Amino acid sequence: MGMAVGGRSGVKADINVTPLVDVVLVLLIIFMVVTPLAQQDKDVTLPTAQGEPREKPEPLVFSLTADKALYVGKEAFPDAARFQERVQQELRAQPDRKLLLKADETLTCGDVLGVLQQSRDAGALKVSLGVSMRKN
């Protein structure tokens, strides 16, 4: 048996790093095997296109103020018929143009849904709602 005679006795303070090295090597092997599998598509050489890149048009912004006045840009539209005519005109000129509705936060959902229904009647099927982000 190993008894300490006349010297210090107690717990050995050296760290055994062998299990740590084993774990690190296993993780390294796992990452080496998994990394090539993470690429889901094949590498191909894409052809080059000629011409100018297509620019996306700016969205048509229409606003609904707190007093329920409807604006397209800075132009006011007091009745639904003129508003729908303007939306149809814009969609005929640029069918892929996005529409953005900015409504005052004091309005009810019914007010906003009324404008969305008017734009849908004009042929706009996708309308985005504008919001502002606040930090808590």
Side-chain angles (χ1 to χ4, degrees), residues 62-66 68-71 101-104 107 111-112 115:
F62 50 104
S63 307
L64 188 60
T65 61
K68 300 180 186 176
L70 185 59
Y71 292 86
L101 171 60
K102 294 176 12 178
D104 193 88
L107 296 171
D111 297 330
V112 176
V115 175

Side-chain angles (χ1 to χ4, degrees), residues 3-128:
M3 298 284 289
V5 180
R8 287 193 233 158
S9 65
V11 180
K12 194 174 182 184
D14 293 336
I15 297 175
N16 188 2
V17 294
T18 304
L20 175 67
V21 172
D22 289 344
V23 169
V24 170
L25 287 176
V26 168
L27 288 174
L28 178 66
I29 292 170
I30 289 172
F31 283 122
M32 288 173 58
V33 170
V34 171
T35 301
L37 299 176
Q39 187 177 6
Q40 295 180 355
D41 56 347
K42 290 287 186 180
D43 290 331
V44 295
T45 304
L46 296 175
T48 56
Q50 294 179 351
E52 297 294 320
R54 201 170 98 187
E55 293 184 19
K56 294 182 180 180
E58 288 292 320
L60 176 64
V61 178
F62 50 104
S63 307
L64 188 60
T65 61
D67 59 349
K68 300 180 186 176
L70 185 59
Y71 292 86
V72 175
K74 301 222 182 250
E75 184 182 356
F77 286 90
D79 62 344
R82 286 187 53 214
F83 170 70
Q84 290 174 356
E85 182 181 318
R86 172 69 187 272
V87 171
Q88 288 172 350
Q89 176 187 6
E90 292 289 336
L91 290 176
R92 276 193 298 268
Q94 296 175 325
D96 59 340
R97 189 168 187 186
K98 293 185 178 184
L99 295 145
L100 176 64
L101 171 60
K102 294 176 12 178
D104 193 88
E105 68 181 354
T106 60
L107 296 171
T108 65
C109 288
D111 297 330
V112 176
L113 287 175
V115 175
L116 288 174
Q117 185 61 46
Q118 290 175 13
S119 63
R120 180 173 289 226
D121 292 342
L125 300 178
K126 295 181 180 177
V127 180
S128 300

